[in-house]
Amino acid sequence: MNSKEIIKKTLEFNSPERVGRTFQNSDFIWCSNTVKTYATDWVQVGESRWERTDEWGNLWARLDPNSKGEVVQGVLKNIEDIYFYEFADFSNYNDYCIAEETVDNYPEKWVIGSMPGFTFNISRQLFKMENYLCNILLEPKYMHNLHDRIDILLHQMIENYAKAGVDSIMFPEDWGTQTQLLISPQLWYEEYFPRFKKLCEKAHECGIKVFMHSCGFICEIIPGLIKAGIDLFQFHQPMLHGIDKLAVYQGKSRITFMCPVDIQKTLQTKDEQLIRSEARELLDKLWKGKGGFIADFYSDNDSIGLESKWQQYACEEFIARGKRRLYSKN
């Protein structure tokens, strides 16, 4: 059973022979596109400051050469700029030839087309976060227009990735802090749920799955995201939601979770036995030899201040225990 078959069976809860994984001969291959955007490389502009421009024209900065950084100046200065801003053109299929080549070169892998986010992730960066949250409440007419324009280009990306033959798309949208959503659940359901539903429907019509990464506490909208059509959630902090709670979602819907051992709570203890125990718990409660769970590896150990060996303990448990035959009698 190759990687593509493993992940397909995982998403279908059809008892793959082992747990899918993102490490040590990963089951996944990522691809992007070559659309010409506003993006630039990181440039050091001071003794401890680096800057870059992202694909939308937003200015990012960071204080070291390795971190992700953050938006320090959105490309949209005033609300009226929405009507004059020009997005890059994501409609030309020739810009997705690299995705097609990836599919051809890795026929046994599950190929993921990288998306820059859905409506929220893109639009909030254009204004900077604090300005965006004010605008969505005070200037809804303008923001609806911006969201509509973004959704058009996202539909184009989905169609072109599907034409290239990818198995799924994946996008990041961090909706919560460690304790709550960034916006009210009511506003999410009114403004974003219909958009997510249409984008997921487009992907499914094209024959591809939808994977979503999100950080923070988002329990209040997980049922809505599942209803909208999300096929997989990547959570780097499964303990923030609670593994038992994630299992409850699986009891109601066919939803898959992609998680490492919790990067903020469990890994930070540097307790080998606790780390191994949580890896087993993720398998025992979410995978169970049936599917619905993919063992993940957080790729940026430097940003969480840990040596890779702490995650390696989890990987060893995922590989040793993540075999269907060990659950066949349960």
Side-chain angles (χ1 to χ4, degrees):
M1 188 176 293
N2 64 34
S3 290
K4 190 185 291 287
E5 293 166 336
I6 290 287
I7 302 306
K8 184 175 185 294
K9 284 181 173 290
T10 297
L11 295 169
E12 295 174 348
F13 285 70
N14 193 21
S15 301
E17 64 184 21
R18 62 166 175 80
V19 68
R21 60 178 183 254
T22 66
F23 53 88
Q24 293 173 233
N25 193 24
S26 172
D27 293 310
F28 300 94
I29 291 290
W30 288 76
C31 62
S32 187
N33 56 68
T34 56
V35 174
K36 184 177 180 180
T37 68
Y38 301 98
T40 65
D41 294 329
W42 285 103
V43 176
Q44 187 170 3
V45 297
E47 184 175 349
S48 59
R49 184 179 178 86
W50 284 257
E51 294 182 350
R52 75 173 178 92
T53 300
D54 68 14
E55 65 265 52
W56 315 111
N58 305 307
L59 180 65
W60 288 65
R62 64 188 185 190
L63 302 179
D64 61 76
N66 299 311
S67 64
K68 178 183 175 182
E70 62 181 12
V71 175
V72 294
Q73 182 174 302
V75 68
L76 300 182
K77 308 299 188 302
N78 303 299
I79 193 71
E80 294 84 3
D81 293 343
I82 288 173
Y83 292 110
F84 305 102
Y85 175 73
E86 292 187 15
F87 285 99
D89 182 6
F90 288 89
S91 66
N92 189 345
Y93 179 69
N94 291 332
D95 290 319
Y96 298 79
C97 290
I98 189 172
E100 187 176 287
E101 292 172 4
T102 303
V103 171
D104 291 341
N105 291 335
Y106 298 93
E108 295 188 349
K109 297 287 188 178
W110 185 274
V111 180
I112 300 175
S114 179
M115 301 279 287
F118 267 14
T119 318
F120 178 73
N121 193 61
I122 297 172
S123 56
R124 70 169 181 159
Q125 293 176 358
L126 296 176
F127 280 104
K128 282 195 65 178
M129 187 61 180
E130 57 270 27
N131 295 333
Y132 175 75
L133 294 178
C134 289
N135 288 335
I136 192 64
L137 294 173
L138 301 178
E139 301 286 357
K141 180 179 178 181
Y142 283 95
M143 300 310 290
H144 293 329
N145 177 277
L146 177 63
H147 292 166
D148 288 345
R149 294 182 64 198
I150 291 172
D151 285 351
I152 290 172
L153 67 88
L154 292 173
H155 277 262
Q156 294 169 344
M157 293 183 74
I158 290 170
E159 290 174 345
N160 282 320
Y161 272 132
K163 184 177 179 180
V166 305
D167 300 296
S168 68
I169 55 168
M170 188 167 187
F171 68 95
E173 290 226 342
D174 294 341
W175 277 100
T177 67
Q178 294 292 295
T179 58
Q180 62 185 18
L181 286 178
L182 293 170
I183 63 174
S184 71
Q186 180 180 352
L187 177 57
W188 186 86
Y189 277 98
E190 290 175 356
E191 177 64 18
Y192 301 96
F193 172 78
R195 299 178 184 280
F196 272 60
K197 188 171 185 293
K198 289 180 181 179
L199 290 166
C200 289
E201 286 175 347
K202 169 57 68 173
H204 293 154
E205 288 170 4
C206 292
I208 59 177
K209 301 293 187 180
V210 182
F211 295 180
M212 174 181 173
H213 163 84
S214 190
C215 287
F217 185 81
I218 65 167
C219 282
E220 292 169 298
I221 61 171
I222 287 177
L225 288 164
I226 294 173
K227 185 177 180 181
I230 301 298
D231 298 293
L232 175 149
F233 291 109
Q234 182 189 56
F235 292 148
H236 289 148
Q237 295 178 258
M239 298 301 287
L240 189 62
H241 302 89
I243 297 174
D244 289 330
K245 182 66 173 179
L246 299 183
V248 169
Y249 294 129
Q250 284 187 338
K252 299 177 180 180
S253 306
R254 187 175 288 180
I255 184 66
T256 294
F257 298 101
M258 177 190 288
C259 306
V261 165
D262 195 291
I263 67 170
Q264 294 295 344
K265 184 176 181 180
T266 312
L267 287 179
Q268 299 297 329
T269 67
K270 298 183 181 179
D271 183 327
E272 177 183 345
Q273 295 309 311
L274 187 62
I275 291 169
R276 291 183 181 275
S277 176
E278 186 176 310
R280 293 192 296 270
E281 184 180 4
L282 287 164
L283 290 169
D284 293 346
K285 293 182 176 179
L286 299 182
W287 187 63
K288 299 180 289 188
K290 299 178 181 179
F293 174 76
I294 292 167
D296 198 11
F297 185 94
Y298 187 72
S299 60
D300 190 1
N301 283 289
D302 289 340
S303 71
I304 55 175
L306 294 173
E307 298 175 82
S308 62
K309 71 176 185 178
W310 301 110
Q311 282 201 84
Q312 188 58 39
Y313 294 136
C315 295
E316 291 172 3
E317 290 296 323
F318 286 139
I319 291 174
R321 191 171 179 82
K323 299 174 181 178
R324 183 181 60 195
R325 60 180 176 79
L326 299 179
Y327 292 81
S328 59
K329 295 181 181 180
N330 295 339

